Amino acid sequence: QNVEFEFIGLVHKDKESLKKRIENRVKKRLEEGALIEVKNLLKEGYTQTSPGLQTIGYKQLIEFLLKKIDHQTAIRSWITKEIQYAKRQLTFIKKDKNIKIVSV
């Protein structure tokens, strides 16, 4: 039995809408308690070098909690890193000829 798959890559129509969506997502994560989550993980014994805490968002919040950067710098850095990651994803999607790109 031969099954065909179609891969669809959803991309934003323009960079500004993507940037705004990322900014809103970061703000929402903060409102939902991302900082408290990180504080609790550190209290449980996880460290800055724990694999799960070396990801975007966690890394910046840990730097803030360790007083290496201020709160605004942490948020700006988190947003910037998310935007850079989204750009890398788009580059990957565009290179794969098996992925049909759809603008949203």
Side-chain angles (χ1 to χ4, degrees):
Q1 180 176 353
N2 191 5
V3 179
E4 288 190 33
F5 292 95
E6 182 175 31
F7 296 98
I8 299 173
L10 302 177
V11 299
H12 281 267
K13 291 180 183 177
D14 59 80
K15 292 177 185 179
E16 280 308 307
S17 67
L18 173 62
K19 182 179 176 184
K20 192 67 180 166
R21 187 170 182 132
I22 288 170
E23 288 173 358
N24 289 336
R25 187 173 63 215
V26 168
K27 288 176 185 175
K28 185 177 181 191
R29 283 279 292 125
L30 288 165
E31 290 168 5
E32 292 174 343
L35 190 57
I36 293 167
E37 177 186 343
V38 173
K39 282 181 185 178
N40 289 336
L41 289 168
L42 295 174
K43 282 181 188 174
E44 288 180 24
Y46 293 96
T47 67
Q48 194 173 15
T49 58
S50 298
L53 297 185
Q54 293 183 27
T55 56
I56 299 171
Y58 288 100
K59 195 171 190 172
Q60 289 74 25
L61 293 179
I62 290 171
E63 288 179 352
F64 164 66
L65 291 171
L66 296 176
K67 300 184 188 323
K68 292 182 178 181
I69 56 176
D70 63 45
H71 190 257
Q72 281 302 96
T73 302
I75 295 169
R76 281 195 312 271
S77 176
W78 183 357
I79 291 169
T80 299
K81 295 293 183 185
E82 291 279 4
I83 291 168
Q84 290 169 343
Y85 185 69
K87 287 179 183 177
R88 288 193 304 274
Q89 287 177 320
L90 182 58
T91 298
F92 173 82
I93 288 170
K94 285 181 176 179
K95 285 182 181 179
D96 191 329
K97 301 301 178 201
N98 296 312
I99 299 176
K100 178 182 175 186
I101 297 175
V102 177
S103 294
V104 292

